[in-house]
């Protein structure tokens, strides 16, 4: 567990360094390439933090692991909130479409929209768990 969190910190440092390089770079194509790398690290880290929720009780028992975890959550807080906003908008859209489907489209389409709503709600809940632990 400790090694995984330490590796996550290393990736976070790389994320920060890429951000600094993006700021310093004057080459547009290089900036795009660096930003793509940064986005990929961001996605991996948020997925890791979500997966880590299954073991959060172990992390909270160890002060050193809890400190690393807190640092990671604080660093990725803005990105997590962007994901929450995205999923909330997606959820609203799907709920609207599901309501619309009830009136005009087949029951099969309505059921499909409700499954999508449940999937998005689960993702949204996992992001809320991240910031509330």
């Amino acid at each position: 567990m400790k090694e995984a969190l330490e590796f996550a910190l290393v990736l976070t440092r790389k994320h920060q360094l890429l951000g600094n390089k993006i700021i310093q770079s004057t080459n547009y194509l290089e900036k795009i390439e660096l930003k793509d790398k940064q986005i990929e690290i961001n996605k991996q880290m948020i997925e890791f933090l979500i997966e880590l929720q299954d073991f959060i009780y172990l992390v909270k028992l160890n002060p050193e692991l809890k400190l690393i975890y807190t640092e990671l959550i604080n660093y990725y807080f803005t990105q997590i909130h962007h994901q929450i906003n995205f999923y909330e908008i997606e959820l609203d859209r799907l709920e609207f479409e599901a309501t619309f489907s009830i009136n005009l489209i087949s029951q099969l389409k309505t059921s499909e929209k409700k499954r999508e709503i449940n999937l998005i709600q689960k993702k949204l809940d996992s992001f809320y768990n991240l910031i509330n632990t």
Side-chain angles (χ1 to χ4, degrees):
M1 182 70 63
K2 183 178 178 182
E3 290 83 14
L5 284 167
E6 287 173 344
F7 181 71
L9 275 179
V10 169
L11 280 178
T12 299
R13 300 295 180 255
K14 183 174 181 179
H15 189 273
Q16 291 170 329
L17 290 172
L18 288 170
N20 292 340
K21 286 182 181 180
I22 291 168
I23 291 169
Q24 294 172 354
S25 178
T26 56
N27 182 329
Y28 179 73
L29 293 177
E30 181 183 33
K31 282 186 176 206
I32 290 173
E33 184 180 321
L34 293 170
K35 189 67 175 167
D36 287 345
K37 288 179 183 178
Q38 197 178 37
I39 289 169
E40 188 58 37
I41 290 172
N42 187 57
K43 282 195 273 183
Q44 290 174 0
M45 289 306 303
I46 291 176
E47 287 175 17
F48 169 73
L49 291 171
I50 289 171
E51 292 295 323
L52 190 63
Q53 294 304 299
D54 293 338
F55 307 99
I56 195 66
Y57 63 93
L58 293 174
V59 171
K60 288 183 175 184
L61 290 175
N62 184 323
E64 185 180 1
L65 296 180
K66 187 176 179 180
L67 183 66
I68 295 171
Y69 176 78
T70 302
E71 183 178 342
L72 291 170
I73 290 295
N74 288 339
Y75 182 80
Y76 291 100
F77 192 78
T78 302
Q79 290 89 342
I80 292 167
H81 272 283
H82 286 308
Q83 289 294 317
I84 287 172
N85 290 338
F86 170 79
Y87 286 126
E88 285 177 342
I89 291 168
E90 186 69 8
L91 192 60
D92 289 344
R93 181 188 65 80
L94 288 170
E95 287 173 347
F96 173 78
E97 287 179 3
T99 303
F100 184 71
S101 297
I102 290 171
N103 298 326
L104 299 176
I105 304 174
S106 71
Q107 191 64 30
L108 180 63
K109 188 79 169 170
T110 302
S111 297
E112 181 182 315
K113 291 296 177 193
K114 287 183 179 181
R115 276 194 301 277
E116 287 182 52
I117 288 170
N118 289 334
L119 179 66
I120 296 296
Q121 187 64 54
K122 286 178 185 177
K123 288 181 180 181
L124 189 57
D125 290 344
S126 66
F127 281 101
Y128 278 128
N129 285 337
L130 272 177
I131 61 171
N132 292 325
T133 56

